[in-house]
Amino acid sequence: MAEPTLTDTAAGPAALRRSPLAHFADRLRDATVTGPRGVAVSEWPYATMVSLRVDPESFAAARVEKCLGAALPARCGETAPAGPRTTLWLGPDEWLVVAPPGAAPLTAELQEALAGEPGSAVDVSGNRTVLELRGPAARDVLDKGCPLDLHPRVFAPGRAVGTQLGSVPVILWRTAEDTYRLLPRASFADHLARWLIDAMSEYALPEVP
Amino acid sequence: MLLLNCPWCGPRDETEFHYGGQAHLPYPESPADLDDPQWAEYVFYRENPKGPFAERWSHATGCRRWFNAVRDTATYQVLATYRLDEQRPDALSEGGNR
């Protein structure tokens, strides 16, 4: 296969990028199940992600919170939405800021907010991709491979945790009642997509009592 | 399957964790003064009790933090988990041979 070359220089290197599941988009679309046990999966490519590390007690953290427009989540599972971007708790001094594609200035803004104090803000958009799983049967699909209790009383919309799905480490983020976002590492995305399609296939058939 | 109570994330499946061996092994205070047998003891020699054993675990697919756990090596019961900056619970002393 020929390597893609940059013919339109005005578009910049972004014109050359391919998302980790670009080759799999048709398969994901074909796997859609409709009806009362419906479930569908799609990729949300090129989301901007910034890895943020800072001592939550420091002045730098206060400036970062001002920059983000929301307090940094303090406990496992919490998220802090602020406009189009959401901050996910990854660890006691580690967060992932997720924003729509093209929010490039975000990293620079956060670095400015740190102002040289201990901490870091690094663009890690290429590290993970985002899979969105939605539909009434979405939780049943996840229950097949996730050891966590995904009942709404424990894992309500707006919560996000680092865990495992199948054998793949993912960040699992419930964005709405029937919608989950899965953030696997880019190199695991293909395997996870195949795992999901396999797990979803039974819902296209009549329910076995 | 063990259920480990991560100090940051709460109870999670063993599959999310990575084992790190015996806990509370301080680095030698003056490494330059150690002879070979003493180095060997520091690097390789480990307790092997039947009973409570303090060991390190890392929550590899969750918060990625290291913490300590006291586990009964005979029953696999996890008696306590605590952060690295916390003291080992006094009541759970090394088990010896039961």
Side-chain angles (χ1 to χ4, degrees):
Chain A
M1 197 171 71
E3 284 293 310
T5 48
L6 194 59
T7 48
D8 180 10
T9 46
L16 291 180
R17 66 185 176 178
R18 264 185 309 184
S19 74
L21 289 172
H23 65 290
F24 218 64
D26 295 343
R27 292 277 301 275
L28 292 179
R29 203 164 37 241
D30 293 346
T32 301
V33 179
T34 51
R37 297 207 302 159
V39 58
V41 64
S42 57
E43 189 192 15
W44 184 42
Y46 311 130
T48 304
M49 295 182 220
V50 182
S51 164
L52 176 68
R53 297 203 65 168
V54 63
D55 177 358
E57 305 290 328
S58 65
F59 290 116
R63 288 197 299 271
V64 164
E65 289 177 339
K66 205 172 163 195
C67 170
L68 288 170
L72 291 167
R75 270 174 298 279
C76 176
E78 291 180 358
T79 63
R85 50 199 189 200
T86 306
T87 309
L88 316 181
W89 186 97
L90 290 191
D93 59 358
E94 187 175 8
W95 295 269
L96 187 71
V97 187
V98 184
L106 179 60
T107 314
E109 283 169 31
L110 288 169
Q111 278 166 353
E112 203 171 302
L114 288 170
E117 281 186 41
S120 68
V122 181
D123 190 307
V124 291
S125 306
N127 186 23
R128 298 171 183 272
T129 189
V130 182
L131 279 158
E132 199 167 78
L133 187 73
R134 59 198 169 272
R139 199 179 117 206
D140 294 338
V141 170
L142 295 175
D143 276 340
K144 294 183 188 188
C146 181
L148 288 186
D149 183 0
L150 300 180
H151 192 280
R153 78 178 157 239
V154 181
F155 196 64
R159 290 187 75 79
V161 292
T163 182
Q164 265 182 317
L165 185 64
S167 54
V168 177
V170 295
I171 297 171
L172 180 62
W173 175 17
R174 185 171 196 176
T175 49
E177 195 59 46
D178 274 348
T179 309
Y180 299 81
R181 282 185 185 162
L182 310 165
L183 285 72
R185 296 275 165 96
S187 55
F188 293 134
D190 180 273
H191 177 84
L192 184 67
R194 289 170 198 271
W195 187 93
L196 283 170
I197 288 174
D198 180 51
M200 286 160 62
S201 61
E202 77 165 78
Y203 299 100
L205 304 168
E207 191 169 4
V208 179
Chain B
M1 180 72 77
L2 294 177
L3 200 61
L4 286 157
N5 192 21
C6 170
W8 303 107
C9 302
R12 297 290 184 94
D13 253 25
E14 180 189 354
T15 52
E16 296 195 3
F17 295 89
H18 181 79
Y19 184 66
Q22 185 178 344
H24 306 301
L25 291 169
Y27 192 73
E29 272 186 30
S30 48
D33 299 339
L34 261 58
D35 58 18
D36 284 356
Q38 285 171 318
W39 268 120
E41 204 152 302
Y42 168 69
V43 176
F44 300 116
Y45 282 43
R46 297 290 179 263
E47 299 295 322
N48 184 22
K50 181 181 180 185
F53 183 47
E55 52 198 14
R56 296 183 302 169
W57 287 85
S58 152
H59 192 187
T61 63
C63 60
R64 305 195 296 135
R65 294 311 115 136
W66 285 94
F67 63 94
N68 292 330
V70 180
R71 180 178 61 93
D72 191 312
T73 56
T75 63
Y76 272 55
Q77 192 186 356
V78 180
L79 303 169
T81 54
Y82 50 102
R83 297 196 325 229
L84 295 182
D85 57 356
E86 290 174 334
Q87 289 292 314
R88 180 194 167 120
D90 282 339
L92 306 167
S93 56
E94 216 58 74
N97 290 313
R98 290 193 309 185

